[in-house]
Amino acid sequence: MKRLGVDLHPGEAPFAFLLFFTFFLFITFQYATKSIRQSTFIDELGASQLPWVYLAVALLSYPFLWLFSRFVDRTARHHLLAATSAIIGASMVLFWWLFGFGAAWVAVAFYVWISLVYVMNVSQFWSFANHVLDPRQARRLFAFVGAGGLLGGILGGQVARVVSGIVSTRSTFLVAAGILGLSTVLIYVIHGMQRRRGYTGAAAGPAKAGAMAKMDAAKGGLQILLQSRLLRLVAGLVILTTLVAQVVDLQFNFAVENATTNLEQRTAFFGNFYTVMGISAFVFQLLFTARIHRVLGVGAALRVLPVTMAVGTVAMMVAAVGLPTALLAAAVILKVGENGLRYSLDQASRELLFLPVPSTQRLKAKAFIDVLVARGAKGVAALLLLPVTFGLFTALDAGWISLALIVVWLWLIGRTYREYVHAFRGNLKRRTIDLEVPVHLSDSATLELVVQSLGSPDGRQVLQGLELLSAHGKERLVPPLLLYHDDPGVRRATLRILATAERHDAAALVERQIAHADPEVRAEAIRTLSLLRREDICSLMLPRLDEADAAVRAAAVACLAREGDEEAAARAAVVLEEMLGDGDPATRAEAAKALGAIPEPQFRQQLIQLLYDTDPKVVREAVAAVRRREAREGFTPIYAPKLIALLADRRLKEPAQEALVAFGDKALPVLVHFMNDAHEPAWLRRAIPKTIASIGTPAGARALLGNAAGPEDPLLRHRCLEGLAAVREHLADEASVQRVEELIGEEARLYLGRLAELAGLGLDGRGRLVGPLVSWGGDDEEPELLQRLLAERLEGHVTNLFTLLAVLHPPRDVWAAHRSLISDSPALRAGALEYLDNTLSGRVRRDVSMAIDDAPLSEKLQRAQRELGLAAASQVAVLDRLLAEDGSPEARGAQPAEEASLALGAVYFVYSQRLERLFPRLAELARQATAPWVRETAGWAVRRLRIATP
């Protein structure tokens, strides 16, 4: 499945495929019923009566959503979705019966009913999917599940066509009911699987979703809309899009009515049409939307739909006058184009217009526009088209309304795009702050919602509910079962509340928390149990030193060593030594947890001993213990060297780094010492710059700045520069800026030096410079390994240059320029160079320009020779120097393999090119190279070339 872009983890396939098939059924139902909705209405009343149902749907949407939201508030997600599907399925059977009487009002009722319930079912499905999948699964699987909808949209119209052709249009109602009946069964199957796997999602309480959630989110949206010029313009675009789309829909249905003669024929036509429409929308979204955005931009993309609709409208009007037989074809093309573009390119473009809107306002604004503005526009469109119903002009004459609206639409797009650009620029400097909204628990509904939040698997949500209940004196409403919540923070907060509320009935549950994996939960449980039982902590915990459970013994040791009398503390020390010497790593890990709760300097040597334990889980707990001690009592330098050494262990790197960051500035001297010690392992040294940057202080920034130029290891140097970019806010003083500018000059010199080496090895005929990088593919020969290695180094130097530029200039702009500079587009590269030329100044501009400008290779090297003194070198000279980079510890310290790889590449270059002048150097390396990988490779080449050795 990964080849298809679907990342299914073990055990996820049943959920994914069931959700895929359920959504497929929903959309199949939707498009099958859309076909019979249109055909039955036109057959009974004619297309000219459509404005009445347009108006009815617009007016009934708001009360329908409000009533439905009342039902939603009292129902769990799976029950809600299943019940809604069952009710809609039953209504299909009802309409099958009612259509048997041939009454015209049935077609009207069906049109309005089915138009209202479409949104409900789909929006609830996505809420249910959010509930079934955890956030990480949702990110991976939602695209796959959504593909089921695409397939259903294509197949739904064919269901209506086939059934109406074989049996009758009326029978399609029963097939649609069967589809929803099957989806109802699948919903409970999925829910049952979810319960068995133990993920509870947000099942503790019902939740609004889709259109209902948007209605709630839309509250306050009008005020936000009035305050934002961009949002008002976007709302205007939505109104005009809806108005023109309704006119097009009326004209299309009018053309179908006149081109078909009976109900089955019309149903088959609409079925085929929705299939073609689904395919066209999918193909356009897949092939053209991203390309149009990338090449033409948002402004041009927004103009595609109105221009297309204007052309199609004119074509219809011309066909009606001069070629009536082509009227239906013109209408189909117009409608397919409108739907294909509106729900792909145009919708994606409008979504981009919301990007400059602060996140705190975006949700409400979008919800207000989607729910209220769009539905209101449909009502306005219905009123605009009522003259067609009254016979004042025809549906085709309504095309003049479309053309007039399209002119206004195109003008408004220009205004909106200019405002979008202006707002987007301003938003780059804007910082948004989430304001806290006061919550009152005086009414039962709000209190019920807060209590329901306690059932959430999200620890943050539960903690917020606990804080609200505690602040309003509602501690008695906190259920002791929260002591089994997955989040340790929730357990600790619950224990504190139970102690405050004197919940003696919860003492037995509290006692079980003494063996919890989190030491802080244990400590809080001991304090709470002592308060609830009104018993001295020492007498409470002393008997637990003899417990079989190591977690309970560790809790007792920590408590008695910290708070017990002299005799109890001595007894606890004996038990601790026994646990430290236990052969079971789990017991030693519990001992480490106990040590984290004991103050310095007690048992310091024992804690250091655990840092050297052979079991990674024990070491991880020892590191956590060091962090807890440091958080309570401050920096203790004796732990730092071992924590730094653990950075080289991928299994323990993360907790060690977090502990060192917690030490703050006091750990910087030790970190810098290890980073600059060439005898330390390379991976350890490379992990230190990120650790220093994570400390996030001015002292850390100065430490990185002072050591960024020194490392011989290219990757270590890059990590140092990345660290500088991460702490750029601390490097605004004049001295720091000057030092960064010097580093830029040094990096440019390194780049040009490598470029000169590459030129000396013969770049012509094998590759060429495209911007600052080498592109291979010459007509003569494939590049040698050494040439590729040097080209990779060039790329690394360019990245380093832009990393340093991002310290001095806005990172987003700098990296956007970087992406353009290394692209294949000459126009983008030219734009990036123009930006840098106008942004940089002084020596930075000179140094950067020498490295990355678009000058030919020879001119670039001549300028480097003239201004930096970098002389060109012959092939033999370049190779002789690279062969000297053999990783010799005496010459260059414990050199990493990345740098010695150039020596390896040079050895192979001499071998492959048979450069006899350098054969003696190969023989020398085969005998004397200190680095084993260089010595072995040189020996291999000597043997293959049959070079005589002394």
Side-chain angles (χ1 to χ4, degrees):
M1 294 294 288
K2 284 190 176 181
R3 293 183 179 179
L4 300 177
V6 182
D7 186 13
L8 288 176
H9 289 188
E12 290 179 350
F15 274 100
F17 282 101
L18 284 174
L19 287 169
F20 174 96
F21 190 61
T22 303
F23 193 49
F24 162 79
L25 292 176
F26 280 145
I27 303 302
T28 300
F29 165 84
Q30 179 174 330
Y31 277 88
T33 51
K34 266 188 177 181
S35 300
I36 56 177
R37 178 192 71 176
Q38 300 301 121
S39 63
T40 53
F41 186 91
I42 291 175
D43 192 72
E44 289 289 340
L45 299 166
S48 62
Q49 302 301 313
L50 279 171
W52 289 117
V53 288
Y54 292 162
L55 184 61
V57 171
L59 293 177
L60 293 175
S61 292
Y62 303 113
F64 181 82
L65 289 174
W66 182 83
L67 288 173
F68 197 82
S69 67
R70 300 296 91 193
F71 180 70
V72 169
D73 283 339
R74 298 170 175 81
T75 312
R77 284 180 178 88
H78 62 289
H79 290 315
L80 177 65
L81 181 57
T84 305
S85 300
I87 291 171
I88 297 173
S91 72
M92 295 300 100
V93 178
L94 176 62
F95 278 111
W96 170 81
W97 178 69
L98 290 174
F99 268 98
F101 295 98
W105 67 267
V106 178
V108 176
F110 176 70
Y111 193 108
V112 174
W113 166 251
I114 208 67
S115 299
L116 292 174
V117 300
Y118 281 155
V119 180
M120 301 301 101
N121 236 25
V122 174
S123 63
Q124 287 174 55
F125 170 82
W126 285 116
S127 175
F128 176 71
N130 267 306
H131 167 67
V132 169
L133 302 173
D134 63 48
R136 295 186 67 83
Q137 290 174 322
R139 179 176 296 185
R140 286 186 288 104
L141 301 179
F142 268 9
F144 172 69
V145 175
L150 294 175
L151 184 60
I154 295 172
L155 193 63
Q158 294 305 301
V159 170
R161 182 188 68 82
V162 171
V163 174
S164 63
I166 296 176
V167 188
S168 65
T169 295
R170 185 169 167 237
S171 301
T172 310
F173 287 105
L174 299 180
V175 175
I179 291 173
L180 283 189
L182 178 57
S183 68
T184 304
V185 174
L186 290 179
I187 291 164
Y188 281 109
V189 171
I190 295 170
H191 178 69
M193 293 174 63
Q194 175 207 25
R195 290 175 61 88
R196 287 193 295 275
R197 73 176 179 138
Y199 175 69
T200 57
K208 297 180 182 179
M212 290 74 69
K214 283 186 176 181
M215 283 194 70
D216 286 345
K219 296 175 182 177
L222 177 60
Q223 183 178 1
I224 295 172
L225 214 66
L226 295 176
Q227 294 172 350
S228 171
R229 180 182 178 84
L230 174 61
L231 290 175
R232 294 197 301 272
L233 292 170
V234 172
L237 291 181
V238 171
I239 291 172
L240 288 168
T241 304
T242 305
L243 292 176
V244 177
Q246 292 294 89
V247 175
V248 169
D249 186 70
L250 178 63
Q251 291 179 312
F252 171 70
N253 282 278
F254 172 82
V256 174
E257 179 186 4
N258 285 275
T260 54
T261 56
N262 58 62
L263 178 60
E264 274 63 43
Q265 188 180 2
R266 287 165 179 158
T267 303
F269 179 88
F270 279 112
N272 286 329
F273 167 77
Y274 284 122
T275 297
V276 172
M277 187 186 70
I279 295 173
S280 64
F282 172 75
V283 170
F284 195 92
Q285 177 73 8
L286 186 66
L287 299 180
F288 299 109
T289 297
R291 289 181 172 85
I292 290 175
H293 282 154
R294 184 173 61 250
V295 176
L296 300 179
V298 178
L302 287 169
R303 292 181 173 91
V304 172
L305 178 60
V307 170
T308 302
M309 294 173 75
V311 172
T313 299
V314 171
M316 275 197 66
M317 297 171 72
V318 171
V321 175
L323 194 61
T325 56
L327 179 63
L328 181 61
V332 169
I333 294 173
L334 174 60
K335 184 65 175 176
V336 169
E338 181 263 329
N339 273 267
L341 292 174
R342 184 181 175 193
Y343 295 109
S344 56
L345 176 64
D346 196 69
Q347 182 172 334
S349 302
R350 284 203 310 272
E351 291 297 320
L352 291 175
L353 295 178
F354 287 96
L355 288 178
V357 180
S359 58
T360 52
Q361 302 176 7
R362 189 180 305 156
L363 178 62
K364 287 187 176 183
K366 280 176 56 61
F368 184 86
I369 292 173
D370 291 344
V371 174
L372 300 176
V373 173
R375 284 177 169 80
K378 289 184 177 181
V380 173
L383 295 175
L384 198 63
L385 294 172
L386 279 178
V388 176
T389 303
F390 297 138
L392 300 180
F393 53 82
T394 68
L396 294 178
D397 293 333
W400 293 106
I401 299 176
S402 287
L403 293 176
L405 291 173
I406 288 170
V407 171
V408 179
W409 188 358
L410 289 169
W411 170 82
L412 192 63
I413 286 173
R415 296 284 303 274
T416 306
Y417 181 69
R418 288 193 294 272
E419 184 63 23
Y420 164 79
V421 173
H422 175 74
F424 196 82
R425 287 174 179 168
N427 193 50
L428 293 175
K429 302 179 180 179
R430 185 184 300 123
R431 293 186 178 182
T432 57
I433 301 175
D434 292 326
L435 301 177
E436 294 185 1
V437 181
V439 179
H440 301 286
L441 304 184
S442 56
D443 64 286
S444 59
T446 304
L447 181 61
E448 181 183 356
L449 290 174
V450 173
V451 173
Q452 287 177 356
S453 72
L454 301 182
S456 172
D458 185 349
R460 292 172 299 177
Q461 182 177 348
V462 178
L463 286 171
Q464 184 181 28
L466 291 174
E467 290 172 4
L468 288 170
L469 290 173
S470 181
H472 290 81
K474 305 289 186 180
E475 293 93 344
R476 303 292 297 183
L477 296 178
V478 174
L481 288 176
L482 281 177
L483 293 175
Y484 291 97
H485 198 279
D486 293 337
D487 190 329
V490 171
R491 298 197 187 204
R492 293 195 299 271
T494 304
L495 287 166
R496 287 192 292 270
I497 290 175
L498 293 177
T500 302
E502 298 182 354
R503 292 288 299 273
H504 301 286
D505 58 311
L509 294 178
V510 171
E511 186 171 6
R512 297 178 187 177
Q513 301 306 306
I514 294 175
H516 190 266
D518 187 279
E520 295 181 17
V521 173
R522 296 178 187 179
E524 196 65 53
I526 292 171
R527 285 192 290 270
T528 301
L529 189 63
S530 175
L531 290 171
L532 293 179
R533 290 187 173 175
R534 295 185 174 87
E535 189 175 351
D536 177 67
I537 288 182
C538 187
S539 60
L540 180 68
M541 298 307 297
L542 193 59
R544 287 174 167 77
L545 290 174
D546 299 320
E547 289 276 354
D549 190 334
V552 176
R553 294 206 309 276
V557 166
C559 180
L560 294 173
R562 187 178 60 247
E563 302 182 30
D565 55 29
E566 185 175 345
E567 182 180 353
R571 175 80 177 96
V574 172
V575 174
L576 177 61
E577 291 293 342
E578 293 174 354
M579 296 180 70
L580 291 171
D582 197 289
D584 184 3
T587 302
R588 300 198 301 276
E590 293 298 337
K593 293 179 181 179
L595 289 173
I598 298 172
E600 283 282 349
Q602 296 183 61
F603 304 108
R604 177 184 290 172
Q605 291 302 319
Q606 287 83 346
L607 182 52
I608 294 175
Q609 170 190 335
L610 291 178
L611 289 173
Y612 287 88
D613 198 279
T614 56
D615 190 279
K617 294 181 180 178
V618 177
V619 179
R620 186 179 289 271
E621 291 298 340
V623 172
V626 171
R627 281 199 65 184
R628 288 195 293 275
R629 286 192 171 201
E630 182 277 334
R632 289 195 311 269
E633 301 162 51
F635 177 62
T636 306
I638 195 171
Y639 299 114
K642 180 55 183 175
L643 291 175
I644 294 174
L646 292 175
L647 294 176
D649 189 332
R650 293 183 180 274
R651 299 169 299 177
L652 300 167
K653 176 181 176 180
E654 184 177 352
Q657 188 176 67
E658 291 174 354
L660 289 165
V661 170
F663 288 159
D665 287 348
K666 294 178 180 179
L668 289 176
V670 186
L671 288 166
V672 172
H673 170 77
F674 275 81
M675 182 177 69
N676 292 329
D677 189 347
H679 295 281
E680 293 295 334
W683 286 109
L684 185 152
R685 298 175 65 200
R686 293 167 183 169
I688 292 176
K690 182 179 179 181
T691 306
I692 295 176
S694 298
I695 293 175
T697 61
R702 290 192 297 271
L704 286 171
L705 188 60
N707 294 272
E712 298 283 357
D713 179 358
L715 185 52
L716 176 55
R717 177 183 174 88
H718 177 67
R719 295 281 174 83
C720 287
L721 300 184
E722 280 187 328
L724 284 177
V727 293
R728 61 185 299 270
E729 67 274 11
H730 299 305
L731 299 172
D733 60 283
E734 184 177 350
S736 297
V737 170
Q738 183 177 356
R739 180 58 186 142
V740 172
E741 291 177 350
E742 292 173 358
L743 290 172
I744 290 173
E746 294 172 12
E747 201 66 45
R749 178 183 289 270
L750 290 172
Y751 169 87
L752 292 167
R754 291 302 186 195
L755 187 62
E757 291 175 345
L758 195 55
L761 293 176
L763 179 60
D764 294 338
R766 299 174 187 262
R768 59 190 178 88
L769 274 183
V770 177
L773 305 182
V774 175
S775 175
W776 303 110
D779 297 330
D780 296 341
E781 303 178 49
E782 287 293 317
E784 292 282 352
L785 171 64
L786 179 58
Q787 292 172 320
R788 289 190 180 275
L789 289 173
L790 288 173
E792 290 176 3
R793 297 299 171 83
L794 287 182
E795 185 174 352
H797 291 309
V798 171
T799 302
N800 287 348
L801 270 177
F802 278 85
T803 303
L804 287 165
L805 288 175
V807 177
L808 302 179
H809 301 280
R812 179 178 294 182
D813 296 341
V814 169
W815 290 114
H818 177 263
R819 289 191 297 271
S820 297
L821 189 68
I822 64 175
S823 71
D824 294 329
S825 169
L828 290 177
R829 293 199 302 272
L833 290 172
E834 182 68 18
Y835 163 77
L836 293 171
D837 192 53
N838 287 281
T839 301
L840 308 181
S841 60
R843 64 177 180 178
V844 172
R845 179 182 177 185
R846 183 206 65 179
D847 294 338
V848 172
S849 176
M850 278 195 295
I852 68 171
D853 66 7
D854 53 355
L857 175 61
S858 59
E859 182 180 331
K860 186 174 290 192
L861 293 177
Q862 289 173 4
R863 184 180 177 188
Q865 183 177 3
R866 183 175 63 252
E867 299 189 22
L868 299 179
L870 290 175
S874 66
Q875 183 185 71
V876 172
V878 171
L879 290 168
D880 189 63
R881 191 183 68 77
L882 294 177
L883 287 171
E885 297 183 357
D886 65 349
S888 170
E890 291 82 1
R892 310 186 56 160
Q895 185 177 2
E898 283 77 3
E899 195 65 20
S901 64
L902 292 179
L904 297 175
V907 169
Y908 188 77
F909 191 95
V910 173
Y911 163 77
S912 63
Q913 298 294 319
R914 302 300 194 270
L915 300 176
E916 295 184 4
R917 291 181 57 185
L918 292 171
F919 283 1
R921 288 288 289 121
L922 293 186
E924 181 184 349
L925 286 174
R927 296 192 313 270
Q928 300 178 2
T930 305
W933 46 83
V934 178
R935 186 171 61 252
E936 292 172 5
T937 306
W940 171 85
V942 166
R943 291 190 297 272
R944 295 293 297 271
L945 295 171
R946 302 182 185 277
I947 299 173
T949 57

